[in-house]
Each structure stands twice: as structure tokens, then as C-alpha cells.
């Protein structure tokens, strides 16, 4: 970072509404989070790229885009290269984060250790282990109470006939939140369902397994493409699983076991992180279920 975040005191005032990152023309530009291309074109003589992440947007300039408006992108995907016309004498990429008309510090989106090295208490690992065990116990009790009900949650489909992938309640919703591990504000791009370790993850609706991958933050991930449902192109995502039982390209039916709840990746305890894309745009899953 060559110039840091310095928001104006008034919306129209002077300030630095993002970060300047040291970069050279031609360097790859990566998507900071899953999302959809909202804009790619010239603004005030510079090429600008805007990615929509479902409630917040990241901006990149100057950039020669490799994607088009409407394209879905994944965290870390190359979306373009640093272009010409930078306002920095030695060249840079200006990176911004907006929620409506409000600017935020883009560093709040980072999931790695790029911000700085820091010392932590020697008992941090032990405290994280205890917190993880407490969360797992709470999730287990919740799952047991739900499974004891006369009609399982997964048997009660939502308004679009999607069943619940696990029998568990919502423990953390979609939107900006204070990250429980990183302890800074960032986008929570899905809905956490508090299922215990080993609980089966079931397909909420028929579809095709379009991608299986592993990520340092999301752990074991699965993407399920459902095709057109009620006039919308629907893709659902499942994260932090212990393991999956299905393969890429496999057709699955509603209720089929996809894998098992775990705590892989950056997680404080066993749960399912559920994600949803409608027409290629990342949205709050609870607006669909």
C-alpha cells in the first residue's frame, strides 16, 4: 500500500476513498471476493472495473479488463491487468470498496496476512480451540433438537421449493460483520447454518455439481448449478465441509447427500456456510429460501 484509506469528513469533501497499491502496467488484477462484473469501461479517461459482491462493490482502476458486465467471478480470479493512465508517478492500482454511497477501507475484505505481521498472545491457539469446542457443542444441541421435531426442517421446502441443506438454524447472516477470527469488519458473503460436525449436507434442489475446490478461507467448497428456477439462473455454494461424496459433472437430486459438515478453512467451529447466486449475482441466500 503506497497511499492508505482516508475518507472525507463530508460526502463531497476531499479525501482518499480507497487504497493505492504499488503495481506496474500489465500486472494481473485479482477479484477480491466472489461476485459479478457490474461495470467495465472508461471513466474520466481511465479504464475502471467494478465488481458487485451482493450489497458491496469493489472498484479497480486503471485496469484493462478481461471480463464483461454480467460475468460471474470467483475470489482470486484474474479479472484484468493494470492499465495505463495511473495517477501515481511510479504506477499503481487504485482499489476501492463501497456500500451504496459509503466508502469503506478495502483492507477489511482481506482474508490473508497481507496487512501486517503482528504478535499474538501465546494462549491464542488454546482460546480458539475452546471457542471452537463450545460452538460445536451448541451446534450439536441445536441439531439434535431440530432432528427431534416431528417434521425435519429439510422436509419443509421454501417458496421456490428449495429444501434446507442441513437441519440447523442461522447463526450468522449475510452482510458486513466483524469477522470472528480476523477481528475486523468484512463482507460475510453467505449464511451460516449451525450444524454439528458430520451432519449430512443434502442438495436442496436438483442440479449438477459444477465445481469442487479447496480454499484457505472457505475450506472444502462445492458449487451446485440448478439451472432455471422460477425464471432465474440459480447456483448454490457449500463451504467448510469435512468431505464431499459427489464428483464434478455429477447430476444430483433433491435430498441427495453431497457431503458432511466440517470446519475446514478459516472457521471457528463446525457449520455450513451457504451461498447463492441468482443470474450470476451473489445474493443473500435467505432472500430465496
Amino acid at each position: 500500500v503506497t497511499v492508505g484509506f482516508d475518507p472525507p469528513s463530508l460526502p463531497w469533501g476531499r479525501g482518499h476513498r480507497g487504497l493505492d497499491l504499488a503495481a506496474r502496467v500489465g500486472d494481473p488484477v485479482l477479484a477480491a471476493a466472489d461476485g459479478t462484473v457490474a461495470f467495465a469501461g472508461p471513466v474520466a479517461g481511465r479504464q475502471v472495473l467494478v465488481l458487485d459482491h451482493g450489497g458491496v462493490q469493489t472498484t479497480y482502476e486503471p485496469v484493462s479488463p478481461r471480463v464483461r458486465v454480467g460475468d460471474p467471478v470467483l475470489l482470486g480470479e484474474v479479472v484484468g491487468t493494470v492499465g495505463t493512465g495511473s495517477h501515481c508517478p511510479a504506477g499503481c492500482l487504485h482499489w476501492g470498496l463501497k456500500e451504496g454511497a459509503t466508502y469503506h477501507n478495502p483492507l477489511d475484505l482481506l482474508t490473508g496476512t497481507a496487512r501486517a505481521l503482528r504478535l499474538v498472545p501465546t494462549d491464542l491457539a488454546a482460546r480458539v480451540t475452546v471457542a471452537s469446542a463450545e460452538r460445536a457443542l451448541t451446534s450439536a444441541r441445536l441439531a439434535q433438537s431440530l432432528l427431534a421435531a416431528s417434521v425435519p426442517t429439510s422436509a419443509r421446502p421454501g417458496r421456490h421449493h428449495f429444501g434446507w441443506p442441513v437441519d440447523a438454524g442461522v447463526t450468522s447472516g449475510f452482510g458486513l460483520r466483524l469477522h470472528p477470527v480476523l477481528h475486523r469488519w468484512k463482507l460475510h458473503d453467505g449464511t451460516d447454518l449451525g450444524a454439528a460436525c458430520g451432519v449430512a449436507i443434502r442438495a436442496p434442489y436438483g442440479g449438477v455439481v459444477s465445481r469442487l475446490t479447496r480454499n484457505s478461507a472457505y475450506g472444502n467448497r462445492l458449487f451446485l448449478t440448478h439451472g432455471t428456477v422460477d425464471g432465474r439462473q440459480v447456483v448454490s455454494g457449500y463451504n467448510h465441509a469435512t468431505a464431499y461424496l459427489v464428483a464434478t459433472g455429477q447430476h444430483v437430486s433433491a435430498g441427495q447427500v453431497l457431503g458432511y459438515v466440517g470446519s475446514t478453512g478459516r472457521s471457528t467451529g463446525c457449520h455450513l456456510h451457504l451461498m447463492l447466486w441468482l443470474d450470476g449475482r451473489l445474493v443473500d441466500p435467505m432472500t430465496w429460501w
Side-chain angles (χ1 to χ4, degrees), residues 201 220 241-245 258-261:
I201 303 170
N220 293 323
T242 298
Y244 292 110
L245 306 179
L258 303 174
Y260 300 102
V261 171

Side-chain angles (χ1 to χ4, degrees), residues 34-156:
D34 292 354
T36 307
V37 180
F39 178 82
V43 176
R46 286 196 293 267
Q47 290 290 323
V48 176
L49 180 67
V50 180
L51 304 182
D52 184 90
H53 309 287
V56 297
Q57 294 182 325
T58 51
T59 62
Y60 312 78
E61 62 175 285
V63 59
S64 297
R66 294 183 181 178
V67 290
R68 296 178 297 179
V69 173
D71 285 350
V73 298
L74 296 176
L75 169 70
E77 180 179 341
V78 176
V79 293
T81 56
V82 176
T84 58
S86 170
H87 61 282
C88 303
C92 69
L93 176 75
H94 183 78
W95 180 31
L97 173 65
K98 292 183 64 178
E99 182 181 18
T102 303
Y103 290 88
H104 295 281
N105 189 343
L107 289 179
D108 292 338
L109 283 177
L110 292 184
T111 57
T113 57
R115 292 189 68 173
L117 294 177
R118 59 175 179 160
L119 298 178
V120 297
T122 55
D123 65 342
L124 178 62
R127 287 191 279 119
V128 170
T129 300
V130 171
S132 176
E134 290 175 347
R135 177 171 176 170
L137 179 60
T138 301
S139 298
R141 288 171 176 168
L142 177 61
Q144 289 172 357
S145 65
L146 287 170
L147 289 171
S150 57
V151 181
T153 305
S154 58
R156 298 195 296 268

Side-chain angles (χ1 to χ4, degrees), residues 180-193:
V181 176
L182 303 174
H183 302 296
R184 58 177 179 259
W185 288 94
K186 68 183 298 293
L187 174 67
H188 187 235
D189 54 11
T191 298
D192 285 349
L193 302 177

Side-chain angles (χ1 to χ4, degrees), residues 19-45:
L19 301 173
D20 286 346
L21 306 178
R24 297 172 297 180
V25 174
D27 284 351
V29 177
L30 313 181
D34 292 354
T36 307
V37 180
F39 178 82
V43 176

Side-chain angles (χ1 to χ4, degrees), residues 158-251:
R159 56 186 177 276
H160 298 286
H161 304 288
F162 272 57
W164 286 93
V166 292
D167 284 320
V170 175
T171 56
S172 185
F174 182 94
L176 284 175
R177 68 167 184 176
L178 184 65
H179 196 281
V181 176
L182 303 174
H183 302 296
R184 58 177 179 259
W185 288 94
K186 68 183 298 293
L187 174 67
H188 187 235
D189 54 11
T191 298
D192 285 349
L193 302 177
C197 287
V199 169
I201 303 170
R202 299 182 181 274
Y205 196 90
V208 177
V209 179
S210 52
R211 189 176 181 190
L212 285 167
T213 186
R214 183 177 177 86
N215 179 277
S216 61
Y218 295 97
N220 293 323
R221 310 187 76 185
L222 182 150
F223 297 84
L224 192 58
T225 299
H226 303 286
T228 302
V229 181
D230 292 342
R232 309 293 296 273
Q233 289 292 319
V234 184
V235 176
S236 56
Y238 309 84
N239 305 273
H240 303 305
T242 298
Y244 292 110
L245 306 179
V246 292
T248 302
Q250 181 176 337
H251 290 258

